[in-house]
Amino acid sequence: MALKRLLLLSAFLVGCNDNNEQATQPNEPLAAQKSADTAVTDSHKDAANTELSAEIIAEPEPLETPPQVTTYTLKRGQTITHVLKEAGFSLSQIYALARDIKPHFDFKKIKSGTQFDVVTHIVNTPVMTAETMTDADINSNDTADTDTVKEQKHLRFATSYGELIEATLIDNTWQLSPISIEVRQRRFSKSFEISQSLYKAASQAEIPANVINSAILAMSHFVDFQREIRTGDKITLNFSQSRVQQDAHLFEKFSAPQKLVAIEFVNNKDVYQLYQFEDAYYFADGKLAQNFLMKTPLNGARLSSSFGKRKHPVLGYTRQHKGIDFSAPTGTPIMAAGKGKVLKANYSKSFGYRVLLEHHGGYRTLYAHLKGFAKGIKKGASVKQGQIIGYLGNTGMSTARHLHYEVHKNGRAINPLTMKQPSNIQLKGEELVAFKTHIQGVNQRYAAISKSDTHIAE
């Protein structure tokens, strides 16, 4: 009986084992795959970690601190050497810069007040590599002896409005790079009334001096500012002005370029409209507004003595006054009435400091009793119309400050105020069509500005 029970128990256990084997056999491939995937993943992780570790060790990234910008100003009485020494450059580096920069700029032309930016970059570069780094280096936190500290300096300064030079010192050698700064044009439209002086009224309206001078020069050919200005006369000046978009402090010693685009002048009942086109001013019908000689060679003056016979204030007897006199403050700029050549720029007993210009067509103009001459005005020098040649004074046989102005035609004195010299230049054909298109665009662009009395960017 016991034997029978033992045989039955053995058969039962064998059946259970067979069932267990059949149940586990289908799962063996999946388990094997999981095991293989796990091995591959671990292998990839190990490889990635190895490559990352090698990369970190072999190619250390430089640690660059934010650049430091220091501005230095050339003070009166200083030289460029003073400023650059203050900025930390050695004498040898300064002399090398002065030599290398000559093809680009002459340091002798730098004015006091010019500003320089010195930009300093400091870079800490680890020098350890995989080949030289040991396990001890990797585990160590002390890297003070494994960094290379490099200092690089850039010197930036302006050479003209909107133009910079950047000089970079690399291994004690200068590398020079001219840089053009972005410049945008802003449009302005200003209207104001003239009571006495165009220059004074325009200055009060905050018109730039260069724009005022351009307006005076353009209109002086057909308007006598001393006799034809009436209270209530109105003028509108449309002009543009350049503005740099960065590093404005470096350009403070340079005048922002300005351009007078159009003029509308209401003189009593007459209306004059002028437009700049191809470096000259034309009326709206295409006729050139500029004549051979300006009527008056200065602005803001009062006509104190006319052309013709008069009693001489010094000599005391009557004689022919061959010119006209203008009374104005001492130092008022005197302009060349037309393009020409300087025949005389010296002192005479009668005229004091005087300038005599020769123009084409047999014309000559004389400017007398000056306080002094403008820079570059000497015998043989060429001058442009409107160029400043001297300054009003009270020298020679003169009882008060004034300008004595004469115009001669083939050796004969003529009255500058009645001189007839109509322009015979008129745009025609394609030039006239281009001009008409130009003034239409100008009128459209400045119409919105004049209504809002604001300025906008071009």
Side-chain angles (χ1 to χ4, degrees):
M1 185 68 180
L3 179 61
K4 185 177 180 179
R5 289 180 178 178
L6 180 62
L7 291 174
L8 290 174
L9 180 61
S10 298
F12 177 77
L13 291 175
V14 171
C16 290
N17 287 337
D18 291 341
N19 291 335
N20 287 338
E21 287 178 3
Q22 291 175 359
T24 57
Q25 280 178 358
N27 292 331
E28 284 180 358
L30 179 61
Q33 180 65 35
K34 288 184 177 181
S35 177
D37 290 345
T38 303
V40 171
T41 302
D42 292 343
S43 176
H44 286 172
K45 288 182 178 180
D46 292 341
N49 290 335
T50 302
E51 290 176 1
L52 182 60
S53 299
E55 182 179 348
I56 294 174
I57 297 173
E59 298 180 6
E61 294 184 0
L63 302 176
E64 184 174 349
T65 60
Q68 297 178 351
V69 181
T70 307
T71 301
Y72 299 87
T73 303
L74 180 65
K75 300 176 182 177
R76 184 179 297 275
Q78 285 187 330
T79 65
I80 188 68
T81 303
H82 290 96
V83 176
L84 296 185
K85 282 184 66 178
E86 183 182 353
F89 296 102
S90 66
L91 285 176
S92 60
Q93 292 170 343
I94 296 171
Y95 294 151
L97 176 61
R99 179 192 66 238
D100 296 342
I101 209 169
K102 282 184 178 180
H104 305 275
F105 186 72
D106 185 0
F107 271 143
K108 294 179 181 179
K109 296 181 179 180
I110 285 186
K111 301 177 181 179
S112 60
T114 297
Q115 297 188 57
F116 301 82
D117 275 355
V118 176
V119 184
T120 304
H121 294 269
I122 298 177
V123 180
N124 298 325
T125 305
V127 297
M128 284 191 252
T129 65
E131 289 78 8
T132 60
M133 183 175 287
T134 65
D135 292 340
D137 292 325
I138 296 176
N139 297 326
S140 174
N141 292 325
D142 185 11
T143 60
D145 297 329
T146 62
D147 288 353
T148 296
V149 179
K150 288 187 177 182
E151 181 182 85
Q152 189 177 83
K153 286 188 175 183
H154 306 269
L155 175 68
R156 293 164 59 91
F157 64 96
T159 56
S160 61
Y161 196 84
E163 299 295 328
L164 291 176
I165 283 184
E166 182 174 271
T168 304
L169 189 61
I170 300 177
D171 295 331
N172 228 27
T173 301
W174 290 102
Q175 293 185 3
L176 305 176
S177 302
I179 299 175
S180 296
I181 300 299
E182 181 184 0
V183 176
R184 293 183 182 178
Q185 302 296 320
R186 299 178 69 87
R187 297 192 190 102
F188 299 82
S189 183
K190 298 283 187 177
S191 298
F192 53 93
E193 290 188 357
I194 307 172
S195 55
Q196 294 179 341
S197 165
L198 169 60
Y199 197 98
K200 183 177 181 180
S203 297
Q204 291 175 345
E206 298 181 346
I207 308 295
N210 290 341
V211 174
I212 300 174
N213 291 333
S214 295
I216 293 171
L217 179 59
M219 295 190 295
S220 64
H221 299 275
F222 56 89
V223 175
D224 180 1
F225 292 111
Q226 280 67 46
R227 300 193 305 171
E228 297 177 1
I229 298 295
R230 302 288 185 270
T231 300
D233 285 355
K234 186 177 180 180
I235 187 170
T236 299
L237 301 179
N238 295 332
F239 60 96
S240 63
Q241 187 171 22
S242 300
R243 296 284 177 88
V244 291
Q245 299 304 295
Q246 66 182 73
D247 300 320
H249 63 287
L250 297 180
F251 299 98
E252 290 181 356
K253 297 300 293 183
F254 297 92
S255 297
Q258 298 132 0
K259 181 180 180 180
L260 178 61
V261 177
I263 304 170
E264 182 177 271
F265 178 45
V266 180
N267 180 217
N268 199 3
K269 295 182 180 180
D270 297 322
V271 179
Y272 301 95
Q273 289 182 321
L274 284 78
Y275 297 88
Q276 189 186 56
F277 182 69
E278 296 182 350
D279 298 326
Y281 288 94
Y282 293 84
F283 293 108
D285 61 358
K287 186 177 181 180
L288 183 66
Q290 296 168 252
N291 293 321
F292 171 56
L293 294 176
M294 298 162 54
K295 276 192 172 185
T296 54
L298 76 168
N299 176 253
R302 175 180 60 85
L303 184 67
S304 57
S305 185
S306 301
F307 182 89
K309 289 186 177 181
R310 67 158 190 178
K311 184 177 182 180
H312 195 280
V314 176
L315 300 178
Y317 58 83
T318 300
R319 71 172 187 176
Q320 181 73 10
H321 188 225
K322 296 182 179 181
I324 55 178
D325 293 345
F326 297 101
S327 177
T330 299
T332 298
I334 308 300
M335 298 178 287
K339 179 182 178 181
K341 183 179 180 180
V342 179
L343 292 180
K344 295 180 180 180
N346 56 11
Y347 186 89
S348 75
K349 183 177 179 180
S350 176
F351 290 127
Y353 291 108
R354 48 90 183 270
V355 174
L356 179 64
L357 300 181
E358 182 177 45
H359 313 278
H360 70 78
Y363 284 90
R364 290 185 177 184
T365 53
L366 173 70
Y367 316 79
H369 307 303
L370 304 179
K371 178 183 179 181
F373 310 121
K375 185 177 180 180
I377 299 302
K378 58 184 178 181
K379 183 177 179 179
S382 297
V383 296
K384 298 178 181 179
Q385 188 176 61
Q387 179 179 337
I388 296 176
I389 59 174
Y391 305 92
L392 187 142
N394 183 26
T395 58
M397 294 180 64
S398 171
T399 58
R401 65 180 190 274
H402 72 287
L403 169 70
H404 175 74
Y405 174 54
E406 294 184 10
V407 178
H408 293 253
K409 167 70 172 177
N410 295 326
R412 182 176 64 87
I414 58 178
N415 188 348
L417 299 180
T418 59
M419 179 175 54
K420 300 297 183 181
Q421 46 169 346
S423 172
N424 56 1
I425 299 178
Q426 171 77 47
L427 296 175
K428 298 178 181 179
E430 293 182 357
E431 282 189 328
L432 182 59
V433 172
F435 173 68
K436 292 291 187 179
T437 302
H438 169 72
I439 64 176
Q440 183 180 7
V442 169
N443 291 339
Q444 290 177 349
R445 286 192 294 269
Y446 282 90
I449 304 175
S450 59
K451 289 179 182 179
S452 61
D453 196 29
T454 59
H455 55 270
I456 61 176
E458 282 187 334

